[in-house]
Amino acid sequence: MSVLLSAVATLGAIGAGSAAILYIVGRKFHVEEDPRIEEIQEALPAANCGGCGFPGCSSFANACVKADTLDNLFCPVGGQETMNKVASILGKTATTSAKKIAVVRCSGSCDERPRTNLYDGVSNCTIAAALYGGETGCSFGCFGLGDCETSCTFDAIHINPFTRLPEVVEDKCTACGACVKACPKDIIELRKQGPKSRRIYVSCVNRDKGAVARKACNVACIGCSKCQQACPFEAITIENNLAYINDDKCRLCRKCVPVCPTNSILELNFPPKKETPPAIKEEATVNA
């Protein structure tokens, strides 16, 4: 019995000593957390989506407190209003950022991009992309298996069952970028939402030469440069047989749209253009 009591006493002493050591070490190396971090967290939408470039809202709040300026920090879910609140807490100025939205740069529906084979595997774009180029002649196009839809926590993107292409729900999209990261074909891009949600972009990522791209998809960009020549603002570049519209330079004049021979340039949410009626020629009066 005495041996047992001695063992218990020894273990108790060791435990108490360890607790004392941990307490002293904890007090010595304790780091006070800036109370503003918690304030900022409360101002954030708590989506923890990673769209800001940080693992979660807590990391983003910590970065905001430590940063000298908020120039390179932005919460896409909360938007400008949230960043203004963060700036107010920190006594800093929030940079005004244009609202962005996810854009699907592929118009190769089942009608425009005929299937040449059938994929019979796991319904996952990433896995399919690792195995082969796709069910059509376009190895750059959308698989339509829904990795983007699964990744979105805001229910803002869905696969259309008829076209087998993703469609973005504008009112729900927060530009968090989750769908962009999920797409193995780099088809989805974050672009400026534009005034009145009006946008112009090349809905194609096919980098094959014109004839090959057109054979695979009726609405593929063929890199003909007609859009580039029509743009008065130098907003369009041609690289690797593919046109790209820079939304920082684009002035939404729409001059590039009608000159595209394959209709691969999309214009969203614009009113229909007014057609100019043909001039009426005055008939010459013949005097008898």
Side-chain angles (χ1 to χ4, degrees):
M1 181 63 100
S2 60
V3 175
L4 180 60
L5 291 174
S6 176
V8 172
T10 303
L11 290 175
I14 293 173
S18 300
I21 293 172
L22 289 174
Y23 176 77
I24 294 170
V25 171
R27 293 285 295 178
K28 184 175 182 179
F29 295 100
H30 176 69
V31 178
E32 291 288 343
E33 184 179 78
D34 194 318
R36 295 177 299 174
I37 294 177
E38 185 176 351
E39 286 186 65
I40 293 174
Q41 276 190 266
E42 291 177 356
L44 296 174
N48 292 310
C49 60
C52 58
F54 294 89
C57 294
S58 177
S59 299
F60 179 72
N62 191 41
C64 289
V65 170
K66 292 181 178 179
D68 294 328
T69 69
L70 299 176
D71 291 351
N72 298 316
L73 296 166
F74 188 76
C75 172
V77 179
Q80 194 63 49
E81 183 180 351
T82 294
M83 290 309 301
N84 290 338
K85 292 180 182 178
V86 172
S88 177
I89 294 170
L90 298 175
K92 299 176 181 178
T93 302
T95 304
T96 302
S97 300
K99 183 173 174 56
K100 293 191 174 184
I101 192 170
V103 164
V104 179
R105 294 185 58 209
C106 179
S107 295
S109 63
C110 299
D111 294 333
E112 304 292 357
R113 187 166 48 118
R115 265 53 184 171
T116 57
N117 59 81
L118 179 64
Y119 173 71
D120 187 18
V122 179
S123 185
N124 181 282
C125 298
T126 303
I127 294 175
L131 297 176
Y132 79 140
E135 297 180 334
T136 71
C138 176
S139 60
F140 300 90
C142 176
F143 277 117
L145 298 177
D147 283 21
C148 54
E149 183 177 10
T150 304
S151 70
C152 182
T153 58
F154 302 98
D155 194 36
I157 189 166
H158 301 282
I159 300 296
N160 186 307
F162 302 103
T163 63
R164 293 188 62 185
L165 292 174
E167 294 180 351
V168 178
V169 183
E170 292 195 16
D171 294 340
K172 294 182 178 182
C173 180
T174 61
C176 70
C179 58
V180 177
K181 297 175 185 176
C183 179
K185 295 295 191 79
D186 296 325
I187 288 169
I188 305 176
E189 176 189 9
L190 294 181
R191 293 179 67 88
K192 288 182 179 178
Q193 188 170 16
K196 298 182 180 180
S197 291
R198 294 173 182 174
R199 299 180 294 285
I200 296 176
Y201 60 94
V202 180
S203 184
C204 181
V205 294
N206 192 321
R207 295 185 292 276
D208 285 331
K209 290 185 177 180
V212 178
R214 185 63 184 271
K215 185 178 180 181
C217 180
N218 293 330
V219 290
C221 174
I222 57 176
C224 65
S225 77
K226 288 184 178 180
C227 56
Q228 185 182 40
Q229 295 169 18
C231 180
F233 305 105
E234 298 182 349
I236 303 178
T237 54
I238 307 291
E239 187 175 351
N240 295 325
N241 309 307
L242 180 65
Y244 181 79
I245 300 176
N246 185 330
D247 57 2
D248 286 328
K249 294 183 177 181
C250 180
R251 296 295 179 268
L252 306 177
C253 69
R254 296 198 280 176
K255 291 184 178 179
C256 59
V257 179
V259 301
C260 178
T262 61
N263 297 317
S264 64
I265 301 179
L266 297 188
E267 49 179 342
L268 298 184
N269 304 318
F270 285 88
K273 286 186 175 182
K274 294 181 180 179
E275 295 185 4
T276 305
I280 300 174
K281 295 181 178 181
E282 295 183 2
E283 295 182 4
T285 304
V286 180
N287 295 322

